[in-house]
mmCIF file of all heavy atoms in Angstrom:
data_model
loop_
_atom_site.group_PDB
_atom_site.id
_atom_site.type_symbol
_atom_site.label_atom_id
_atom_site.label_comp_id
_atom_site.label_asym_id
_atom_site.label_seq_id
_atom_site.Cartn_x
_atom_site.Cartn_y
_atom_site.Cartn_z
ATOM 1 N N ARG A 13 -10.597 -14.130 14.668
ATOM 2 C CA ARG A 13 -11.237 -14.905 15.680
ATOM 3 C C ARG A 13 -10.336 -14.544 16.987
ATOM 4 O O ARG A 13 -9.089 -14.417 16.913
ATOM 5 C CB ARG A 13 -11.160 -16.316 15.413
ATOM 6 C CG ARG A 13 -11.971 -16.803 14.301
ATOM 7 C CD ARG A 13 -13.475 -16.944 14.534
ATOM 8 N NE ARG A 13 -13.664 -18.109 15.503
ATOM 9 C CZ ARG A 13 -14.386 -18.050 16.615
ATOM 10 N NH1 ARG A 13 -15.008 -17.017 16.912
ATOM 11 N NH2 ARG A 13 -14.451 -19.177 17.223
ATOM 12 N N SER A 14 -10.990 -14.459 18.099
ATOM 13 C CA SER A 14 -10.255 -14.117 19.441
ATOM 14 C C SER A 14 -11.057 -14.541 20.507
ATOM 15 O O SER A 14 -12.285 -14.850 20.417
ATOM 16 C CB SER A 14 -9.976 -12.526 19.400
ATOM 17 O OG SER A 14 -11.150 -11.967 19.620
ATOM 18 N N GLY A 15 -10.459 -14.439 21.649
ATOM 19 C CA GLY A 15 -11.151 -14.789 22.963
ATOM 20 C C GLY A 15 -10.507 -16.005 23.655
ATOM 21 O O GLY A 15 -9.765 -16.784 23.043
ATOM 22 N N ALA A 16 -10.944 -16.254 24.860
ATOM 23 C CA ALA A 16 -10.447 -17.240 25.738
ATOM 24 C C ALA A 16 -10.663 -18.528 25.128
ATOM 25 O O ALA A 16 -9.905 -19.466 25.279
ATOM 26 C CB ALA A 16 -11.068 -17.103 27.147
ATOM 27 N N SER A 17 -11.844 -18.915 24.500
ATOM 28 C CA SER A 17 -12.016 -20.206 23.919
ATOM 29 C C SER A 17 -11.322 -20.346 22.584
ATOM 30 O O SER A 17 -11.321 -21.589 22.132
ATOM 31 C CB SER A 17 -13.592 -20.435 23.768
ATOM 32 O OG SER A 17 -14.060 -19.539 22.894
ATOM 33 N N VAL A 18 -10.832 -19.409 21.954
ATOM 34 C CA VAL A 18 -10.138 -19.479 20.709
ATOM 35 C C VAL A 18 -8.600 -19.547 20.775
ATOM 36 O O VAL A 18 -8.011 -20.209 20.037
ATOM 37 C CB VAL A 18 -10.546 -18.303 19.747
ATOM 38 C CG1 VAL A 18 -9.929 -18.280 18.424
ATOM 39 C CG2 VAL A 18 -12.021 -18.312 19.543
ATOM 40 N N GLY A 19 -8.167 -18.805 21.661
ATOM 41 C CA GLY A 19 -6.635 -18.697 21.850
ATOM 42 C C GLY A 19 -6.147 -17.356 21.199
ATOM 43 O O GLY A 19 -6.887 -16.654 20.720
ATOM 44 N N LEU A 20 -4.884 -17.342 21.043
ATOM 45 C CA LEU A 20 -4.231 -16.109 20.558
ATOM 46 C C LEU A 20 -3.693 -16.267 19.149
ATOM 47 O O LEU A 20 -3.243 -15.308 18.561
ATOM 48 C CB LEU A 20 -3.014 -15.705 21.446
ATOM 49 C CG LEU A 20 -3.495 -15.166 22.823
ATOM 50 C CD1 LEU A 20 -2.154 -14.897 23.704
ATOM 51 C CD2 LEU A 20 -4.278 -13.913 22.687
ATOM 52 N N GLY A 21 -3.664 -17.406 18.473
ATOM 53 C CA GLY A 21 -3.039 -17.638 17.265
ATOM 54 C C GLY A 21 -3.646 -16.703 16.133
ATOM 55 O O GLY A 21 -2.804 -16.006 15.427
ATOM 56 N N HIS A 22 -4.883 -16.713 15.896
ATOM 57 C CA HIS A 22 -5.408 -15.944 14.864
ATOM 58 C C HIS A 22 -5.180 -14.479 14.994
ATOM 59 O O HIS A 22 -4.822 -13.689 14.140
ATOM 60 C CB HIS A 22 -6.968 -16.108 14.778
ATOM 61 C CG HIS A 22 -7.411 -17.511 14.607
ATOM 62 N ND1 HIS A 22 -7.035 -18.335 13.428
ATOM 63 C CD2 HIS A 22 -8.043 -18.407 15.357
ATOM 64 C CE1 HIS A 22 -7.497 -19.482 13.518
ATOM 65 N NE2 HIS A 22 -8.204 -19.612 14.724
ATOM 66 N N LEU A 23 -5.407 -14.004 16.286
ATOM 67 C CA LEU A 23 -5.117 -12.571 16.612
ATOM 68 C C LEU A 23 -3.686 -12.178 16.426
ATOM 69 O O LEU A 23 -3.384 -11.030 15.820
ATOM 70 C CB LEU A 23 -5.595 -12.251 18.046
ATOM 71 C CG LEU A 23 -5.694 -10.673 18.404
ATOM 72 C CD1 LEU A 23 -6.461 -9.887 17.371
ATOM 73 C CD2 LEU A 23 -6.216 -10.516 19.793
#
Side-chain angles (χ1 to χ4, degrees):
R13 295 277 292 134
S14 65
S17 65
V18 176
L20 291 174
H22 302 296
L23 188 55

